[in-house]
């Protein structure tokens, strides 16, 4: 370990450029334990203490690492990340600092009997007295029952990381995505997972609506002290649908202080929302920036393969496995919202039960006849390429070639952005349409165009024209 203390200037310079690319928390989480093994002009080898870290760096930060190394070493060395478990720090995990008790503790919900709703309707869980919530946890909303795919890989992995290491992996964890894509499922999965493994942690899980109602009731009754005690003395606070704070100035103010108190005392905060922090209407800037301190991860509509796996999984756990052709048929027709997909599966099962027949394609067709929206024009990547190449006057073969000149790279990036927005293809699939580029290139392109789109009005209009044209 001694070598570690002799800073290698090239490695230091790698770390410096990484710091410029990621935020402090990401740096601490993913790069702090990186260790230089060797630097050659054709190969740079770095070590990390765990396979998890290695996978993560390769999946999400490879571009940043490679760029940083190229800047430091010059040339185009390959990067090799190896696992060296002896690098794991022997220091014990940092435990959250003890939360200061108020001078005169007041009776709180934690002293109520398990199962008894408190004055505000929150219930303690009979099995887990350290858990307080406004809903009963759904037994199926666990990580075991969550099917991950390209559209939710990052939010899923982040939720797992947070439940493995509360307040150490990402804080806050902010999950957003449109309705029915699994936000509540992931929040509850975090609860389940922490509950069984960390009996020492107090968890409070509730909807933002309940938080708001309780705050209003506390203001009215003049009992803010009890309210604050409840929210500021937990180890993990999960709030579902935080977008409910939109246009509620006073509640935002209160939540701001709740957030600070918890964050400063080392408690984990997990939030879900139907939009990203900056897109929640009238959300105070200081909250927007705090929500971005940890990790903001978007859940996107699942691609076809993931939908297939979800259908398969959901039918299997109900002991009614579907034949492959039925899985395919359902997955093809229900794109987007997983809640609707689930509704479709239940409908098929119930019709099969009624007719006392095994599930087959005919049953599925009958069951779902009325649920399928006819003629919704499906946007394909080919259609996107067609419109974009005409607009920018470039050739399709150029978009799919390795050419990197700006006149070609830019329309290619726009295509990738539009494919993310208008189709349910995975990053890998989209990369495949453009000369087999990998998923990080697609992420980079999408982010770049998103930024331009959010900045320049003229460009935004240009993109919207393209969208209209594509959708016919
Ligand atoms: P949201 O809170 O985002 O509106 P939910 O978490 O309520 O969505 O999910 C809607 C339904 O879809 C739930 O029944 C949930 O179990 C299911 N679901 C969502 N995502 C997945 C997934 N990746 N794997 C399995 N089921 C999922
Ligand atoms: Mg929800």
């Amino acid at each position: 370990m001694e070598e570690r203390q002799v800073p290698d200037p090239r490695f230091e310079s790698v770390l410096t450029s990484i710091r410029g690319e990621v935020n402090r928390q990401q740096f601490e989480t993913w790069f702090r334990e990186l260790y230089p093994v060797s630097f050659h002009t054709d190969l740079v080898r770095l070590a990390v203490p765990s396979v998890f870290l290695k996978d993560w760096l390769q999946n999400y930060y490879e571009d940043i690492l490679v760029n940083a190394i190229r800047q430091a070493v010059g040339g185009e060395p390959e990067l090799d990340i190896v696992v060296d478990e002896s690098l794991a720090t022997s220091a014990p995990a940092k435990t959250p600092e003890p939360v200061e008790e108020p001078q005169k503790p007041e009776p709180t919900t934690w002293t109520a009997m398990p199962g008894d709703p408190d004055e505000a309707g929150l219930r303690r869980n009979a099995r887990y007295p350290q858990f307080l919530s406004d809903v009963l946890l759904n037994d199926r909303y666990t990580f075991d029952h969550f099917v991950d795919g390209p559209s939710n890989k990052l939010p899923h992995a982040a939720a797992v990381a947070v439940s493995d290491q509360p307040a150490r992996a990402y804080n806050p964890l902010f999950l957003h995505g449109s309705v029915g894509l699994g936000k509540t499922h992931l929040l509850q999965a975090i609860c389940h997972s922490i509950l069984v493994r960390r009996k020492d942690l107090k968890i409070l899980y509730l909807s933002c609506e309940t938080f708001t109602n309780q705050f209003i009731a506390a203001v009215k009754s003049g009992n803010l002290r009890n309210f604050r005690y409840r929210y500021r003395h937990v180890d993990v606070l999960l709030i579902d649908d935080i977008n409910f704070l939109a246009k509620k100035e006073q509640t935002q103010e209160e939540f701001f202080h709740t957030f600070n108190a918890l964050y400063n005392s080392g408690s984990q905060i997990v939030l879900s929302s139907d939009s990203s922090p900056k897109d929640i209407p009238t959300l105070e800037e200081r909250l927007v920036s705090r929500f971005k301190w940890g990790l903001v991860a978007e859940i996107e509509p699942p691609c076809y393969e993931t939908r297939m796996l979800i259908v398969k999984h959901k039918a299997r756990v109900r002991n009614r496995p579907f034949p492959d052709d039925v899985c395919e048929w359902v997955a093809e027709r229900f794109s987007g919202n997983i809640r609707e997909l689930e509704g479709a599966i239940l409908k098929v099962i119930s019709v099969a039960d009624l007719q006392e027949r095994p599930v087959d394609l005919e049953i599925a067709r009958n069951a779902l006849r009325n649920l399928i929206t006819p003629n919704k024009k499906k946007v394909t990547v080919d259609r996107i390429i067609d419109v974009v190449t005409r607009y920018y006057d470039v050739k399709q073969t150029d978009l799919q070639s390795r050419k990197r000149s700006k006149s070609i790279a830019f329309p290619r990036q726009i295509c990738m952005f539009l494919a993310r927005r208008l189709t349910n293809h995975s990053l890998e699939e989209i990369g495949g349409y453009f000369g087999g580029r990998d998923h990080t290139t697609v992420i980079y392109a999408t982010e770049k165009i998103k930024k331009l789109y959010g900045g320049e009005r003229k460009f935004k209009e240009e993109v919207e024209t393209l969208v209209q044209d594509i959708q016919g």
Side-chain angles (χ1 to χ4, degrees):
M1 285 288 231
E2 246 183 30
E3 285 164 75
R4 232 183 165 175
Q5 283 146 20
V6 184
D8 179 327
R10 289 164 304 185
F11 185 58
E12 289 301 308
S13 126
V14 169
L15 292 182
T16 309
S17 26
I18 292 171
R19 276 201 185 89
E21 297 291 325
V22 301
N23 68 27
R24 190 179 55 81
Q25 184 117 17
Q26 287 166 329
F27 185 87
E28 290 299 319
T29 312
W30 305 113
F31 299 96
R32 168 63 63 210
E33 292 173 297
L34 208 54
Y35 174 65
V37 180
S38 59
F39 275 84
H40 297 290
T41 41
D42 54 353
L43 177 75
V44 168
R45 181 165 290 144
L46 303 174
V48 289
S50 69
V51 178
F52 176 72
L53 212 53
K54 174 181 160 157
D55 285 349
W56 195 276
L57 287 172
Q58 282 178 333
N59 284 333
Y60 298 108
Y61 292 107
E62 190 157 64
D63 273 4
I64 287 178
L65 265 172
V66 167
N67 283 338
I69 288 167
R70 289 186 181 166
Q71 278 174 30
V73 183
E76 301 207 331
E78 273 195 44
L79 167 64
D80 183 27
I81 302 179
V82 296
V83 176
D84 178 353
E85 282 169 6
S86 71
L87 293 173
T89 44
S90 50
K94 193 181 124 229
T95 45
E97 302 204 352
V99 178
E100 211 185 303
E101 294 294 316
Q103 285 159 336
K104 220 173 77 191
E106 299 186 23
T108 73
T109 52
W110 302 104
T111 57
M113 289 303 287
D116 281 352
D118 69 355
E119 72 281 2
L122 291 189
R123 279 172 194 278
R124 278 213 291 166
N125 188 288
R127 205 166 1 141
Y128 303 110
Q130 74 275 30
F131 182 67
L132 191 66
S133 170
D134 60 345
V135 292
L136 292 175
L137 282 186
N138 186 323
D139 281 345
R140 284 217 183 96
Y141 288 4
T142 59
F143 287 127
D144 284 347
H145 288 301
F146 191 85
V147 177
D148 69 319
S151 61
N152 58 27
K153 213 172 217 42
L154 176 64
H156 171 251
V160 172
V162 160
S163 38
D164 283 346
Q165 304 197 305
R168 293 190 65 215
Y170 299 110
N171 206 12
L173 173 61
F174 189 101
L175 303 177
H176 69 100
S178 55
V179 63
L181 295 184
K183 301 181 293 292
T184 298
H185 189 137
L186 279 181
L187 254 52
Q188 294 204 11
I190 294 175
C191 293
H192 280 295
S193 170
I194 298 181
L195 279 172
V196 288
R197 290 180 303 161
R198 295 290 304 268
K199 303 223 181 316
D200 55 321
L201 299 184
K202 279 184 191 166
I203 306 179
L204 181 52
Y205 162 69
L206 72 170
S207 66
C208 186
E209 189 174 355
T210 302
F211 179 89
T212 307
N213 291 342
Q214 293 200 343
F215 172 63
I216 294 169
V219 172
K220 276 194 186 143
S221 67
N223 200 358
L224 267 175
R225 195 162 164 200
N226 231 347
F227 173 89
R228 290 189 176 140
Y229 183 84
R230 159 182 293 160
Y231 284 97
R232 297 181 193 181
H233 291 76
V234 292
D235 302 297
V236 185
L237 174 69
L238 304 100
I239 298 202
D240 211 353
D241 299 317
I242 196 77
N243 48 286
F244 196 77
L245 281 183
K247 303 188 189 143
K248 298 189 179 62
E249 278 166 37
Q250 263 192 307
T251 318
Q252 285 187 24
E253 164 94 28
E254 182 63 28
F255 187 70
F256 173 76
H257 296 296
T258 307
F259 184 102
N260 289 343
L262 287 172
Y263 189 88
N264 291 335
S265 62
S267 300
Q268 173 72 50
I269 301 161
V270 183
L271 306 169
S272 85
S273 163
D274 65 359
S275 51
S276 71
K278 75 169 175 23
D279 292 329
I280 300 176
T282 74
L283 187 67
E284 288 181 30
E285 193 46 45
R286 56 186 184 164
L287 278 176
V288 174
S289 79
R290 273 167 180 71
F291 290 173
K292 294 197 286 199
W293 274 354
L295 181 77
V296 174
E298 182 175 1
I299 309 187
E300 303 198 39
C303 62
Y304 172 70
E305 282 74 19
T306 311
R307 295 201 300 276
M308 275 265 296
L309 292 176
I310 291 175
V311 177
K312 216 173 220 152
H313 178 91
K314 302 243 176 219
R316 199 184 55 228
V317 298
R318 288 181 173 83
N319 288 325
R320 305 302 300 267
F322 286 7
D324 281 350
D325 58 348
V326 175
C327 291
E328 284 164 17
W329 190 86
V330 175
E332 253 166 42
R333 274 149 193 88
F334 289 81
S335 57
N337 186 327
I338 300 177
R339 192 172 291 143
E340 284 170 10
L341 190 63
E342 200 161 29
I345 298 162
L346 293 179
K347 192 90 198 285
V348 173
I349 292 178
S350 67
V351 170
D353 282 354
L354 265 179
Q355 302 188 4
E356 294 180 7
R357 282 173 50 192
V359 170
D360 62 19
L361 209 48
E362 194 193 326
I363 297 253
R365 283 209 181 98
N366 276 335
L368 303 178
R369 223 180 14 230
N370 301 328
L371 292 181
I372 295 164
T373 36
N375 294 335
K376 201 174 152 204
K377 201 165 168 194
K378 232 180 132 192
V379 170
T380 61
V381 179
D382 287 331
R383 170 82 190 145
I384 294 172
I385 293 179
D386 186 38
V387 170
V388 173
T389 47
R390 262 189 290 125
Y391 188 86
Y392 289 99
D393 198 18
V394 287
K395 289 204 230 52
Q396 171 161 353
T397 46
D398 281 342
L399 289 194
Q400 291 162 335
S401 72
R402 310 301 300 171
K403 287 187 192 164
R404 285 159 185 243
S405 65
K406 188 159 181 244
S407 62
I408 291 171
F410 189 63
R412 184 188 292 135
Q413 288 166 340
I414 292 189
C415 283
M416 290 177 177
F417 168 80
L418 291 172
R420 287 299 278 161
R421 196 172 126 182
L422 302 176
T423 75
N424 289 332
H425 287 297
S426 68
L427 294 165
E428 283 79 6
E429 287 168 342
I430 294 171
Y433 276 95
F434 298 91
R437 288 179 155 77
D438 79 356
H439 67 284
T440 52
T441 310
V442 183
I443 294 177
Y444 175 80
T446 318
E447 288 305 314
K448 182 176 156 190
I449 302 297
K450 223 189 232 170
K451 232 180 239 160
L452 287 176
Y453 181 86
E456 291 172 38
R457 220 181 94 205
K458 221 180 114 243
F459 181 65
K460 188 171 179 168
E461 284 166 10
E462 196 170 307
V463 172
E464 287 312 320
T465 316
L466 288 170
V467 169
Q468 278 178 14
D469 195 354
I470 290 164
Q471 290 177 328

